[in-house]
Amino acid sequence: GNSGGIVCLAVSPNGRMLASGSKHAEVGLWDLNSYTLIRVLKGHLSGVRSMAFYPDSVRLVSASNDNTLSVWDIQKGLRVGEPLRSHYKSVHTVSISHDGTLIASASRDNTVRAWDADSLKLVAEHRYDFPAAIAWIPSKKCVMVEEGNSGALYIWSPNTDSSIKYDPIKHMGQLPLEGMLCFSPDGTRIALSD
């Protein structure tokens, strides 16, 4: 398996594969039918913090403490292109739009960035006060951003660079970097963890 503590998990949309990210810069790919390790993806220089499968279940994007994102062809076991290198601090969360056209990443550099999921080019960025968690809103080209310091929620549209603040959600304490944010498939409910 991964040669170090597992930090994050992602299940492929088709339900056939599990990806495990380790603090030792590896991504393990597991067959969920046989519960066996298929391969280990290596290429990050530091721990893997977050991962997301593309809707086609053929590609995976990983976010790392090495300040980069990597897109992987999981059938070939190879990285697609070069690492995405726009953040200048640890990238701690990544999310892919439901139509598979955009990737969003959040970093300790206080930015959320949007990338074209095919060309892997940066298309937009927006500054937030410690963006702790992100998730694409189903059926929309908008990202929900949760600020860890304030607990405020924002909806950011990379296409227009507009960011609208929602009423703050009060948490029992500040969300850590490992906080999670996700939507129900129909987009009517939000789940936050701290």
Side-chain angles (χ1 to χ4, degrees):
N2 297 71
S3 65
I6 302 298
V7 176
C8 55
L9 299 170
V11 176
S12 63
N14 65 13
R16 297 182 184 153
M17 189 160 301
L18 173 75
S20 59
S22 83
K23 65 182 179 180
H24 293 291
E26 297 175 340
V27 174
L29 297 175
W30 303 81
D31 182 306
L32 287 176
N33 291 322
S34 64
Y35 301 106
T36 56
L37 181 66
I38 299 169
R39 66 174 38 104
V40 176
L41 306 174
K42 297 181 180 182
H44 281 296
L45 302 176
S46 190
V48 176
R49 298 294 304 270
S50 178
M51 298 171 299
F53 278 92
Y54 279 61
D56 63 9
S57 297
V58 175
R59 293 171 290 168
L60 172 84
V61 60
S62 56
S64 172
N65 284 335
D66 66 8
N67 309 345
T68 70
L69 299 164
S70 287
V71 175
W72 306 92
D73 179 320
I74 60 172
Q75 293 175 331
K76 296 177 182 174
L78 300 172
R79 184 168 28 214
V80 176
E82 293 296 316
L84 286 63
R85 301 181 188 276
S86 182
H87 290 290
Y88 62 89
K89 289 189 178 179
S90 173
V91 185
H92 56 264
T93 187
V94 65
S95 182
I96 296 181
S97 62
H98 295 272
D99 64 2
T101 60
L102 292 169
I103 299 168
S105 58
S107 167
R108 286 188 182 193
D109 66 11
N110 292 330
T111 63
V112 175
R113 298 177 193 232
W115 312 80
D116 182 286
D118 289 322
S119 71
L120 307 182
K121 302 289 185 202
L122 182 66
V123 295
E125 69 177 81
H126 198 86
R127 289 201 158 292
Y128 290 95
D129 181 20
F130 189 67
I134 57 173
W136 287 95
I137 300 172
S139 76
K140 300 196 183 299
K141 292 284 190 179
C142 298
V143 179
M144 178 70 74
V145 179
E146 196 268 342
E147 282 190 338
N149 290 334
S150 67
L153 291 176
Y154 293 85
I155 296 178
W156 175 51
S157 171
N159 292 334
T160 63
D161 196 32
S162 67
S163 184
I164 301 167
K165 185 175 182 180
Y166 263 23
D167 290 335
I169 293 179
K170 302 297 180 191
H171 299 285
M172 294 186 71
Q174 175 181 333
L175 278 182
L177 271 177
E178 292 79 19
M180 297 293 295
L181 169 67
C182 65
F183 281 89
S184 61
D186 65 2
T188 61
R189 292 188 170 90
I190 304 168
L192 288 164
S193 72
D194 58 357

